[in-house]
Structure formats: C-alpha cells, structure tokens
C-alpha cells in the first residue's frame, strides 16, 4: 500500500483514523510551529527564508511573498521563479499546489486542495485534488480556487471569483461560480485595432494642419 502522502495526493479517501495519519499531524504541527516566525518577518528576504523552511526547499530569489501567509501543511507547495504572492493568502496544500513561473497571486487569495465526502458518516475524511496555476496567470484579490482546478497559461481570475472548473489559457474568468468573461487574445486584437485607428486619425489630423 502507498504511504499516506501518496494517497492524499492521489485523490482517494483518507480517514482521520488511518494508521498513518500521525505522519500528517507531524507535518501540520511543524508548520504551525514555524508559521509565527514567518508572519513576524520584517523583510521580503526573511519571509522567503522562513517560507522555505516550511515548504522544504529554497524559494528562488526572484520570488516575492508578502506576510502574512497561511498554510496548514506546506510540504506540497511548489513555487516557481518570478512569482509574486500578495498579503494574507491561504494555501491548503495536502493535495498539492503548483505555481509556475511568473504567476501573480493577489491579496487574500485562497487555494484549497482539500475536500470532504458528502456522506455524514465519512465527512471527517479527506479528499484531496491538486491545483495547478500555469505560467503567467494572474489570480485576483479575494478569489478562491477549489480542488482539482488548473488555471491555464496567461489566464486571469477576476477578484472575488470562486473557481471550481479548469480555466482555459488566455481567458478571463469571474463570478460565483466563475465563468469565462472574455478571451485575452481577442481583447488584445481589439486594443490593437483601436490604437491603430487612433494613430491613423492623429496622423490624418496632422496632415490636415500641415
């Protein structure tokens, strides 16, 4: 049988009475002990160092995390290069959280990989699914990403959204539950057209004057 950490990340039901659950408790207690030091940090460098202790590897120097930062576990958080995480974010990561390079996380964002069964007799058990935030995505202030969600490359999650389904690349989603609001590529093309029209109009006016 796989150990409890593999089973948590694999999405199967794990009961609190599982004979290996003490291993989870050990990590949780260690993270709880380290968290006050993290959130008392007085510089970005200190915050990076303290969070590195929690996640178990050295965060890249190009990544910035603002305290306070909250996690109940920490060992399954993977953060890439040039990532920015604003104040008061909460990462519940027993299912695994991955932030690829150049990801932006707004203040008070919740990334939640942990869920519970619907049946009352099993509700104390854990059902976990990973969250993946792909390169250059931007998660807006106060939004919540639920278990199993992938946010595609360059995508934007609007402030306050609750995301329960995958977000395609190059889209903007918002609302509760989150829905696609626009395509970023189309938005860029409209902007380019408008800018070209303004440029041409200005050039025409200049020609009339001179």
């Amino acid at each position: 049988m796989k150990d409890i950490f593999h089973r948590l990340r694999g999405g199967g039901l794990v009961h609190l009475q599982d004979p290996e659950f003490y291993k989870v408790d050990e990590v949780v207690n260690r993270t709880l002990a380290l968290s006050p030091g993290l959130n008392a940090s007085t510089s970005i460098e200190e915050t990076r160092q303290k969070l590195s202790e929690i996640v178990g590897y050295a965060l890249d120097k190009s990544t910035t995390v603002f305290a306070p930062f909250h996690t109940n576990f920490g060992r399954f958080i993977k953060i890439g290069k040039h990532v920015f995480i604003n104040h008061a974010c909460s990462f519940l990561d027993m299912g695994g959280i991955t932030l690829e390079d150049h990801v932006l996380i707004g203040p008070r964002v919740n990334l939640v990989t942990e869920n519970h069964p619907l049946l009352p007799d099993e509700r104390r058990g854990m059902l976990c699914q990973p969250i993946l935030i792909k390169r250059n995505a931007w998660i807006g202030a106060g939004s919540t990403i639920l278990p199993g969600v992938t946010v595609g490359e360059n995508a934007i999650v609007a402030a306050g959204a609750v995301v329960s389904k995958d977000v395609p690349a190059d889209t903007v989603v918002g609302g509760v539950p989150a829905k696609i609001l626009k395509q970023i590529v189309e938005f860029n093309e409209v902007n380019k057209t408008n800018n070209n029209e303004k440029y041409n109009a200005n050039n025409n006016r200049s020609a009339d004057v001179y």
Side-chain angles (χ1 to χ4, degrees), residues 71-103:
T71 178
N72 64 333
F73 193 71
R75 297 310 294 267
F76 293 163
I77 297 173
K78 300 299 180 187
I79 300 174
K81 298 178 180 179
H82 302 284
V83 171
F84 176 75
I85 301 173
N86 215 319
H87 296 280
C89 291
S90 179
F91 287 19
L92 305 187
D93 64 294
M94 288 187 191
I97 293 173
T98 300
L99 308 184
E100 293 187 349
D101 296 347
H102 296 280
V103 164

Side-chain angles (χ1 to χ4, degrees), residues 79-140:
I79 300 174
K81 298 178 180 179
H82 302 284
V83 171
F84 176 75
I85 301 173
N86 215 319
H87 296 280
C89 291
S90 179
F91 287 19
L92 305 187
D93 64 294
M94 288 187 191
I97 293 173
T98 300
L99 308 184
E100 293 187 349
D101 296 347
H102 296 280
V103 164
L104 300 176
I105 305 290
R108 303 183 313 283
V109 164
N110 302 303
L111 304 184
V112 182
T113 69
E114 300 156 20
N115 204 351
H116 302 278
L118 293 178
L119 295 176
D121 291 346
E122 296 183 342
R123 198 167 293 165
R124 300 282 293 182
M126 304 287 297
L127 287 169
C128 301
Q129 293 178 285
I131 289 173
L132 171 59
I133 313 296
K134 290 195 172 182
R135 182 182 175 88
N136 212 39
W138 174 18
I139 312 299

